[in-house]
Every structure is written in structure tokens, then in C-alpha cells.
Amino acid sequence: MNILVINGSPKGEKSNTYQLTSAFLKGIKEEAGDVHIRECAVCRMDIKPCLGCFSCWDRTPGKCCIEDDMAQVIQDLLWADITIWSFPLYYFTVPGALKNLIDRQLPMNLPFMEEQEGQVGNGGHPSRYDMSGKRTVVISTCGFYTAEGNYDGVCSLFDHHCGPGNYTTIFCGQGELFRVPELSAVTNDYLSCVEQAGAEYIEGGISEKSRERLSQLLLPRDTFEACADASWGIAKDDTGTGENGDAKKESDTLKFTRQMAALYRKTSWPGKDIVLEMCYTDVEECYQILLGKDGSHVYTDGSLTADTRIETPITVWRSIAAGEIRGDFGLMQGLYRVKGDFNLMLQWDDYFGGSHPKAEQTEEKTVWKNTDMNIMLIPWIVFWVAAAISKQPGCLISVAVCAMIPLVYYRHKKQCTMCSAARW
Ligand SMILES: Cc1cc2nc3c(=O)[nH]c(=O)nc-3n(C[C@H](O)[C@H](O)[C@H](O)COP(=O)(O)O)c2cc1C
């Protein structure tokens, strides 16, 4: 089976959408085995705009007068059993360079006017080649919180091109999240759904269950939009332009803190406001996040009294957020320090679990809430209580509890592998 991938993102392999396309291909390969794949990265190809001269219909039938890479693309389209169009949504349609490629398919048609079965609109041209049995997949990400309602232009184009219902789509909102390592737990989960969809597609069609999973939002709308707005490092009432025309930006550390604050779940508000102070020791920056009833707010002037203060190099905290270091191990190894109320740390996932929306909907939530920090604290609690009652038996009981911790930890770890998310 021959598969052609037309990657229409100007970012080439670094494209968000391409991550989905690669996952889809992985699913196909695992299921179908013997597949041959060719890729056209439009951004690296020389494909000029159509001149509109119709010479491919009269002077040199089937051949364009422009000598560039499009001749090879047409060969590849004829070679492929399945063509996957992979691109970002630009102004509610395809990026310009990809539109050039689409226009330049004109030599593949005959000039005659012909009504085709199931055709949309009024008018069509027959194909110059036998294209029966060929299949089309359209994969795209967009920047808004949902794909819903944003792909009418794209669907209209492919309805005319392939016929309605004659192509398969995967459209995903919040596309920029695919490049945020701190959210890889959420995006990897989505990518595994796309992989599953690829396997099902090649076996006959994407199942309803997978369709349902693919239509889920990566993050809740308000969380995503707050994160997206914070990612620019510009206050909402500002244009981001300094006096001399240069970009006027907040530091990366403040941007990171604002994004972290955006993940706060106000439904976890414990009945009183909490002030979390983040002190980044390597860059000497300190910010306070007020976790309130109606959401979070970042203070840069240190005007609040902190309930919990975390002293950490920004590099360490970023690694923890990205799931490269476990939060509890980092603390044990002294990579960062916590001062003040420790409760916030114990319930971190409740407060900042916005990056793991699925945990709210499934039984995974109970697993999610049991942080390893609780396990670490058990021997100490037993020691304080038991030794206070009676020294010798108390110490013996504490040693026995310590000995049991690896067992408890092992059980806990086994349960937690069910949640793929990076966590505290
Ligand atoms: C010029 C331009 C136009 C865009 N237009 C839209 C749009 O109309 N709707 C939308 O939701 N996102 C829009 N976006 C966001 C992209 O679709 C989004 O960032 C996408 O994930 C990029 O995918 P890629 O990395 O595969 O190129 C636009 C981005 C750019 C640069």
C-alpha cells in the first residue's frame, strides 16, 4: 500500500499537525505492516502559483508549462493509494503555499464540463486519470480552543475536490499545545488516540469511540485561553510594542508563572484564598499567585503575605512541570525547598490539575489524588505519635512502618502507571 503525506505546514517536521499525522501513520503501519510512504514537505519544495494560462489543457495536455517540483507531486499523487493532507488552519482555510499546490493539480483534470455523481456545487471537470479506489485523509490543527465551526472552508474545498463523505478528517483545536513540553501528558494522550484512529482507519474506518475521544478538548476552554494569552508575555491591555518599536516582553519566568497560574482549578478553592509564592533562585525572580474563588492572579510586586513559598531554580521547576523530574523526588533530593503551609503541595494536582482534564471524568481521579508525598509522610506521623506515647515500642513500630513503605510505594506506583500524566 502506498501512502503520500502532503505536509502543508510552513514549519515542516516541526509542525504541530505533523505530530498528529505521524501518530496516524504509526497506527496504520502497526496494523497494515507493508506500507510505502512518500512525503512532500511543501515548505521545502519549489511549487510556484498557477499562471492560469490553461496550457495544461490545450498546448501540452496533462503537462504544466511551469518547470518546478509540481510534476513530481502529480506523479506521487498518482502513485498513492492513500493521500494524507496535513496542514494548519490559516484564516479558516489552507496555508497559501498548499493552496498553490492544490491549484496546480489542474493538469490532472480534463477541460470538459461534467456533472459528477454526488457532486456539490454546479460544475466539475473529469479526471484525466483513473482515480477510483484512491482514498483521502485530511489532518489539521488550529489555534482556537476548538476545531468545531472553524473548518467549513476546508470541508467545502475537500467536498468539491473529493466529493462529500469521500474523505476522512481529523481536526484538532488548541494545536499550539503540541509544542509545550509541560503539557505533554495531555497531548500524548491525544496522540495515542490519533494512533488508534490510524489503526482503525486502515482496518475499515475510525470507530465512534475514537471519534468521540478525538473531539474532546485538550484543556477546558477557559484554562486553554488563559494559558494561550499568558504565553505571549504581553498584558492583555497592551500591544507589546516598546517605545523604539521593539517587542516589550515579560521575562520567560513570569510568562511561565502566568501559564502555571492559568492551570489553577477554581473549583478546588478551599474556602479561603491561598497565596503561593514562587521564588526562582537561579534568576532571582519572585512572583506570588493568588488562588481565589474566581480564579488566579499573579502579583509581581510581592505585596501579599505568602501561605506557601517554593524556592527553586526555574530550570528545576520547568523539568518538574514537564514531567522530567518527579516533584516528590526533587524535594527529597533538595532540588527545591518549600516553606510555610505544606497542604498546597499535598493537593497540588487538585489545584493545578487543569492539564489533566480526563482525571476529572474517570476513576483515574482517585489514583491521581494519592500523591507519593502522603506515603513519604506516613513514617514520620507514626514516629511522632507512637514515640510520644511510648519511646521504645514507638520506635519499633516506626521502624516496622518504614520497612513496609517500599511495598506500599510499589503498589502505589503500579496503580499510577494507569495515569500517563507527568505529575508531582
Ligand atoms: C497566518 C496564520 C493564520 C492562522 N489562522 C487561524 C485560523 O483561522 N483559525 C485558527 O483556529 N487558527 C489559526 N492559526 C493558528 C494555527 O492553525 C495553529 O497554530 C496550528 O496549530 C499551527 O499548526 P502547524 O504547527 O502544523 O503549522 C493561524 C496561524 C497563522 C500563523
Side-chain angles (χ1 to χ4, degrees), residues 9 11 15-17 88-92 141-144 176 179:
S9 169
K11 296 181 209 150
S15 138
N16 306 326
T17 316
L89 187 69
Y90 273 14
Y91 277 85
F92 305 99
T141 64
C142 69
F144 291 131
E176 286 303 316
R179 62 182 66 256

Side-chain angles (χ1 to χ4, degrees), residues 203-268:
E203 284 291 289
I206 302 176
S207 68
E208 270 311 305
K209 195 171 160 216
S210 293
R211 279 259 157 248
E212 169 66 25
R213 287 177 73 196
L214 291 171
S215 67
Q216 303 267 315
L217 299 183
L218 294 170
L219 290 181
R221 178 182 181 170
D222 53 350
T223 307
F224 166 74
E225 290 183 345
C227 260
D229 289 347
S231 73
W232 300 108
I234 306 167
K236 248 196 157 167
D237 53 0
D238 201 345
T239 58
T241 314
E243 269 169 32
N244 53 3
D246 293 343
K248 189 179 70 182
K249 290 231 162 172
E250 290 178 338
S251 75
D252 277 352
T253 312
L254 177 53
K255 212 164 76 177
F256 173 79
T257 310
R258 285 197 197 284
Q259 288 187 292
M260 188 174 121
L263 293 173
Y264 165 64
R265 282 177 176 166
K266 56 186 179 211
T267 46
S268 301

Side-chain angles (χ1 to χ4, degrees), residues 312-329:
T312 176
I314 180 71
T315 45
V316 167
W317 206 253
R318 274 186 187 278
S319 298
I320 289 171
E324 293 154 9
I325 304 178
R326 286 178 57 119
D328 47 0
F329 286 179

Side-chain angles (χ1 to χ4, degrees), residues 164-368:
N166 287 341
Y167 59 99
T168 299
T169 59
I170 294 182
F171 297 144
C172 173
Q174 308 188 11
E176 286 303 316
L177 297 187
F178 287 93
R179 62 182 66 256
V180 182
E182 287 83 357
L183 294 172
S184 57
V186 175
T187 48
N188 284 344
D189 191 32
Y190 192 87
L191 291 174
S192 68
C193 294
V194 178
E195 187 181 327
Q196 169 73 19
E200 290 171 0
Y201 172 78
I202 212 67
E203 284 291 289
I206 302 176
S207 68
E208 270 311 305
K209 195 171 160 216
S210 293
R211 279 259 157 248
E212 169 66 25
R213 287 177 73 196
L214 291 171
S215 67
Q216 303 267 315
L217 299 183
L218 294 170
L219 290 181
R221 178 182 181 170
D222 53 350
T223 307
F224 166 74
E225 290 183 345
C227 260
D229 289 347
S231 73
W232 300 108
I234 306 167
K236 248 196 157 167
D237 53 0
D238 201 345
T239 58
T241 314
E243 269 169 32
N244 53 3
D246 293 343
K248 189 179 70 182
K249 290 231 162 172
E250 290 178 338
S251 75
D252 277 352
T253 312
L254 177 53
K255 212 164 76 177
F256 173 79
T257 310
R258 285 197 197 284
Q259 288 187 292
M260 188 174 121
L263 293 173
Y264 165 64
R265 282 177 176 166
K266 56 186 179 211
T267 46
S268 301
W269 186 68
K272 72 172 187 70
D273 291 357
I274 300 174
V275 177
L276 167 63
E277 189 165 273
M278 295 298 303
C279 283
Y280 303 106
T281 48
D282 48 350
V283 289
E284 293 182 359
E285 287 178 47
C286 201
Y287 303 108
Q288 294 175 323
I289 308 174
L290 179 74
L291 306 175
K293 189 177 167 198
D294 300 319
S296 63
H297 187 81
V298 176
Y299 288 81
T300 55
D301 57 4
S303 58
L304 305 180
T305 307
D307 294 299
T308 304
R309 177 181 158 100
I310 298 177
E311 294 173 358
T312 176
I314 180 71
T315 45
V316 167
W317 206 253
R318 274 186 187 278
S319 298
I320 289 171
E324 293 154 9
I325 304 178
R326 286 178 57 119
D328 47 0
F329 286 179
L331 186 61
M332 277 193 283
Q333 287 166 6
L335 298 179
Y336 67 92
R337 286 197 302 181
V338 179
K339 289 183 176 168
D341 188 352
F342 202 76
N343 269 322
L344 176 70
M345 309 309 288
L346 295 177
Q347 283 159 21
W348 189 270
D349 293 328
D350 287 341
Y351 288 117
F352 296 102
S355 52
H356 311 289
K358 297 252 161 49
E360 272 172 24
Q361 300 150 12
T362 67
E363 75 245 47
E364 282 174 13
K365 184 172 185 193
T366 42
V367 177
W368 190 248

